[in-house]
């Protein structure tokens, strides 16, 4: 498989070049590309391609399809997929149905090396990074399964997207191709635990995506205890990078803050968070997403109670920082990432 071309990682133009390199007419690339975007997982099912070319394609290329092996559907319409990659690695995607359209949450790596204390995705470490094709295939196969267009993407599944930088950037270009899925970059969010140098790289890509920062703490002591990455790039380095990113791109950043009972959810912490955001991100519109932590049994953390959340939000309101509490979609199907993959590994 390694010597063959990963055809789904090719742009439309690259696919044309590839087909021409096989001494075939360019228009064949258009036909193959269309089949791939509709979810073909083998060349055999491309019924207007001559047999000889199918043989050639099998010899020189492979399709890295995300193969559905399990699907859980929630009462609220959210559905979670367990997908298997060509080498048996398993990852998860979640489709969320909103009144304004369908948004998919995809995985960027098989497992995760970041070690956040509250997260199920990192329990068994990382197996490998996903290919651009494997990111794209999650969208294509889910779109095929629901029979509706997917309008938006969040890179908030298993893995750290900025730890798989090149493949994620390639994927963003692929998914935005006019002849392909044509999903607008403005409808794509990328979430990171804070790999600071890659935030600076991302600013230079000039992609109008939304950057989302998993903050989860207001100071280094708490953040380092929850997120090991903070020992490498601390709160100051991270928030400075955010301010610089905004200055360079003009794109608003959203901050994710998961509320853990007794760990990071009291009013003093809320005040500290508001003040630290104001200090480093002075000229930036501030938006904080509060997410009651999803209890993962290994972490022993519990979500904050309603009263605690209300007080937390009130502090932000007083400080004129927009804070929204995330709706808890799909909680009946363990929709927070990594839980299904971890269960399979047991
Ligand atoms: N590695 C990236 C993206 C994947 S995690 C990142 O860290 O941002 C997507 C979001 O879910 C992050 O904000 C992460 O902190 C959060 N998350 C992980 N486990 C969670 C849990 N058990 N409960 C609530 N949010 C969680």
């Amino acid at each position: 498989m390694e010597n063959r071309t990963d055809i789904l990682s090719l742009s439309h133009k690259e696919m044309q070049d590839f087909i021409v390199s096989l001494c075939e007419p360019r228009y064949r690339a258009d036909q193959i590309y269309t089949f791939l975007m509709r979810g073909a997982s083998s060349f055999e099912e491309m019924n207007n391609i001559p047999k000889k070319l199918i043989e050639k394609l099998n010899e020189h290329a492979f399709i890295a399809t995300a193969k559905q092996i399990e699907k859980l559907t929630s009462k609220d319409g959210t559905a979670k997929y367990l997908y298997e990659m060509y080498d048996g690695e398993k990852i998860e995607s979640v489709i969320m149905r909103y009144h304004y359209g369908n948004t998919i949450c995809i995985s960027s790596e098989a497992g995760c090396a970041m070690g956040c204390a509250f997260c199920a995705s990192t329990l068994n470490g990382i197996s490998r990074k996903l290919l651009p094709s494997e990111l794209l295939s999650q969208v294509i196969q889910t779109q095929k399964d629901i029979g509706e267009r997917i309008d938006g993407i969040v890179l908030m599944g298993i893995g750290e997207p900025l730890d798989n930088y090149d493949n994620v950037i390639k994927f963003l270009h692929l998914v935005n191709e006019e002849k392909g899925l044509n999903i607008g970059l403005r409808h794509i969010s990328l979430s990171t635990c804070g790999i600071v140098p890659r935030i600076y790289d991302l600013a230079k890509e000039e992609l109008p995506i939304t950057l989302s920062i998993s903050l989860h703490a207001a100071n280094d002591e708490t953040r380092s205890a929850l997120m090991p990455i903070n020992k490498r790039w601390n709160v100051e380095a991270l928030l400075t990078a955010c301010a610089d990113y905004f200055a360079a791109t003009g794109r608003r950043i959203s901050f994710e803050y998961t509320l853990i009972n007794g760990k990071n959810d009291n009013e003093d912490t809320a005040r500290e968070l508001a003040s630290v955001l104001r200090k480093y991100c002075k000229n930036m519109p501030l938006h904080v997403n509060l997410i009651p932590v999803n209890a993962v049994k290994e972490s022993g953390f519990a979500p904050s109670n309603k009263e605690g959340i209300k007080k937390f939000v009130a502090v932000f309101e007083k400080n004129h920082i927009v804070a929204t509490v995330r709706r808890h979609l799909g909680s009946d199907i363990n929709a927070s990432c990594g839980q299904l993959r971890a269960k399979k590994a047991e």
Side-chain angles (χ1 to χ4, degrees), residues 118-119 156-157 159-161 191-193 214 216 256 258 293-294 296:
F118 44 79
C119 184
M156 290 191 184
E160 166 51 47
S191 180
T192 180
C193 63
S214 296
H216 305 323
E256 310 292 313
T258 179
V293 74
N294 256 307
V296 174

Side-chain angles (χ1 to χ4, degrees), residues 108 112 114 116 118-121 155-161 190-194 212-216 227 256-258 291-296 299 336-337 339:
S108 57
C112 186
M114 298 299 128
C116 299
F118 44 79
C119 184
S121 301
L155 281 144
M156 290 191 184
I158 298 170
E160 166 51 47
L190 183 156
S191 180
T192 180
C193 63
S212 198
I213 302 289
S214 296
L215 196 54
H216 305 323
M227 305 175 73
E256 310 292 313
Y257 192 97
T258 179
I291 316 148
V293 74
N294 256 307
V296 174
S299 74
S336 76
C337 50
Q339 298 183 345

